[in-house]
Amino acid sequence: MSRAHRLLAGELAAALARPAAQQPDWPDPERARAVVASLRRAAPLVTPAETARLADRLAAVARGEAFLLQGGDCAEAFAENTEAHQRANLTVLADMAALLARRTGRPVVEVARMAGQYAKPRSRPLDARGLPVYRGDLVNSIEPTPAARTPDPARMLRARADAARAMAVVRDFRPGTRPPPGDSGRYVSHEALVLDYERSSLRVDTSGPEPRLASGLGHFLWIGERTRDPDGAHIAFAALLANPIGLKIGPRTTPEQAVDYVRRLDPHGEPGRLTLISRMGHTRIRAVLPAIVEKVTASGHQVIWQCDPMHGNTYTAANGYKTREIRHVLDEIAGFFAVHRRLGTHPGGLHVELTGDDVTECVGGACGLTAADLPARYRTACDPRLNAEQSRELATAVADLATAGATDGTDGTDRTNREVRLR
């Protein structure tokens, strides 16, 4: 074992020894260790060359030369993740990217929430029935029984196998023009949540400014709002990765915290290595985001600024269905663009939960879905997704914002914001 291997092995062990939120309580830890050992013998899902190409394209986003479009299922589910479903998701993402590229005149980097998005953080340990909460198919089953909700480490093996099949679909997917040989032109991402799974496919990468660990599980990994404890295992783990990484930041994030995250996760100032994904909610983004953008920009780091307009706008309708209103989603995006226009920074990307399937999970939009329509085709395993029509409508609105060049104050009264709210 080389000195770099030994050093990184020690740093990884130290990172994983830190407190880790949102982890499964495996009833048989020895069996979980055996599963991780088996996963280590599996072939990587993504190649170093693919990940390096994505890093180059993200650097262009950070410089303001391109736009990052990231989207897909809230949580992939074993039973529903068919090739038809995967192709439908990739098609709507490609349609959105094509529209944005055509309207803005800038390249669009497509990153799917796919081939690994099998685990979800939850706000409480028990559901309304008093059962252990569903944490994604990688951990347990959505079926409401004690046995089904018991965390099962063998599900990590199923997730890895399904992710490999999804990657085959991604590489075979060819809408429109053919990409360069060996490059599908699109990439995959997921939240790096269950650390037993995430640590199972790592190799030493010496191509960067210092030796780091490259994940073979996805091109792009992100750390979520519920696991971004500065002293926790997830941030320490992400700091060791060579892959491009993202960090969700919510309305409680302070400018000082944001700068600390940036310095830890992008210590060498590599443009596009880190994507800061704001998920503030439409009522708060105009007030909270500006100070964060100013402080991080002053630090000299070229991060990607990306908007997640979904999570801060989730609520439960009167009929008990969790949903999101399109007008709130659009208003948060409008606020995101307005902040960056005013500060002279690049609104670099959009991160949304969507599907190409004809679901009824979010309300509003041109299709006119209401809360009464939600039960008709509400199929998500966790959070509500935009359907194909709503996704394309969203892309049109984003293109309008990207080409308007309008700025506003904090009152949101500019022409662009008024038009978006009226959609």
Side-chain angles (χ1 to χ4, degrees):
M1 183 182 293
S2 69
R3 183 176 180 276
H5 281 75
R6 289 194 300 272
L7 178 63
L8 285 169
E11 291 180 348
L12 177 62
L16 296 176
R18 292 181 177 226
Q22 300 284 337
Q23 299 306 288
D25 184 12
W26 305 121
D28 185 348
E30 185 58 37
R31 185 167 177 242
R33 285 190 286 271
V35 167
V36 172
S38 179
L39 288 170
R40 285 195 180 116
R41 296 190 289 270
L45 300 176
V46 301
T47 70
E50 290 168 345
T51 302
R53 281 194 290 270
L54 175 60
D56 286 343
R57 299 191 69 186
L58 292 179
V61 177
R63 292 192 298 265
E65 301 163 0
F67 191 82
L68 170 60
L69 177 64
Q70 195 166 2
D73 289 318
C74 166
E76 294 176 282
F78 296 157
E80 296 184 1
N81 219 13
T82 63
E83 181 174 340
H85 171 75
Q86 292 161 350
R87 288 186 177 277
N89 283 13
L90 290 170
T91 296
V92 74
L93 196 66
D95 288 349
M96 294 171 71
L99 186 153
L100 285 165
R102 184 173 64 251
R103 291 280 303 279
T104 65
R106 283 179 172 166
V108 175
V109 183
E110 296 174 52
V111 180
R113 288 173 59 112
M114 186 180 288
Q117 187 59 14
Y118 295 103
K120 292 295 294 182
R122 306 312 299 266
S123 57
R124 55 184 62 88
L126 301 177
D127 68 8
R129 301 178 182 88
L131 292 170
V133 73
Y134 170 64
R135 292 186 176 274
D137 277 10
L138 185 143
V139 176
N140 57 8
S141 171
I142 198 170
E143 294 299 319
T145 68
R149 293 291 177 85
T150 300
D152 179 2
R155 299 179 76 88
M156 291 191 287
L157 296 171
R158 171 72 184 275
R160 182 66 168 271
D162 276 25
R165 285 190 287 271
M167 276 307 307
V169 174
V170 171
R171 292 194 173 99
D172 183 61
F173 186 72
R174 293 288 188 274
T177 57
R178 182 173 292 275
D183 184 1
S184 71
R186 53 197 45 82
Y187 306 91
V188 299
S189 64
H190 66 267
E191 180 177 355
L193 181 62
V194 177
L195 294 174
D196 279 338
Y197 184 76
E198 298 303 326
R199 67 189 175 97
S200 69
S201 185
L202 298 170
R203 66 171 184 83
V204 173
D205 183 335
T206 58
S207 64
E210 64 176 336
R212 291 187 292 211
L213 294 171
S215 172
L217 296 178
H219 302 111
F220 179 108
L221 305 176
W222 76 84
I223 304 301
E225 167 79 352
R226 293 189 177 98
T227 54
R228 62 174 176 84
D229 177 0
D231 299 317
H234 288 84
I235 292 295
F237 176 77
L240 297 175
L241 294 178
N243 305 61
I245 53 178
L247 179 69
K248 294 281 188 86
I249 54 173
R252 294 185 300 276
T253 307
T254 68
E256 293 73 23
Q257 286 174 331
V259 169
D260 182 59
Y261 285 130
V262 168
R263 287 173 176 161
R264 293 179 61 181
L265 298 175
D266 179 33
H268 302 286
E270 303 166 80
R273 165 172 167 75
L274 177 62
T275 298
L276 291 180
I277 312 163
S278 60
R279 30 108 68 223
M280 307 287 183
H282 76 108
T283 63
R284 292 174 285 191
I285 188 165
R286 293 171 178 84
V288 177
L289 186 59
I292 293 174
V293 174
E294 288 179 308
K295 195 86 170 178
V296 170
T297 302
S299 75
H301 291 257
Q302 285 186 283
V303 304
I304 293 172
W305 296 103
Q306 189 183 38
C307 179
D308 168 2
M310 309 292 285
H311 285 88
N313 296 307
T314 307
Y315 70 98
T316 301
N319 57 4
Y321 284 85
K322 188 189 294 187
T323 190
R324 290 143 175 172
E325 291 193 33
I326 301 300
R327 64 190 178 95
H328 293 162
V329 170
L330 291 174
D331 190 42
E332 179 159 0
I333 298 170
F336 173 76
F337 271 83
V339 167
H340 286 287
R341 297 295 190 205
R342 187 167 69 251
L343 297 177
T345 47
H346 179 48
L350 186 66
H351 187 130
V352 289
E353 293 179 338
L354 57 81
T355 177
D357 299 336
D358 185 22
V359 300
T360 54
E361 297 172 1
C362 293
V363 299
C367 55
L369 290 179
T370 68
D373 298 311
L374 295 175
R377 293 182 301 280
Y378 195 97
R379 297 170 182 159
T380 182
C382 192
D383 287 341
R385 302 161 295 177
L386 303 171
N387 61 31
E389 183 178 351
Q390 291 168 332
S391 298
R392 294 183 179 99
E393 180 184 354
L394 190 76
T396 300
V398 172
D400 288 345
L401 289 165
T403 56
T407 60
D408 73 347
T410 57
D411 60 354
T413 57
D414 66 293
R415 176 180 60 83
T416 303
N417 283 351
R418 287 200 304 273
E419 291 176 354
V420 169
R421 287 194 185 101
L422 290 172
R423 288 182 181 274

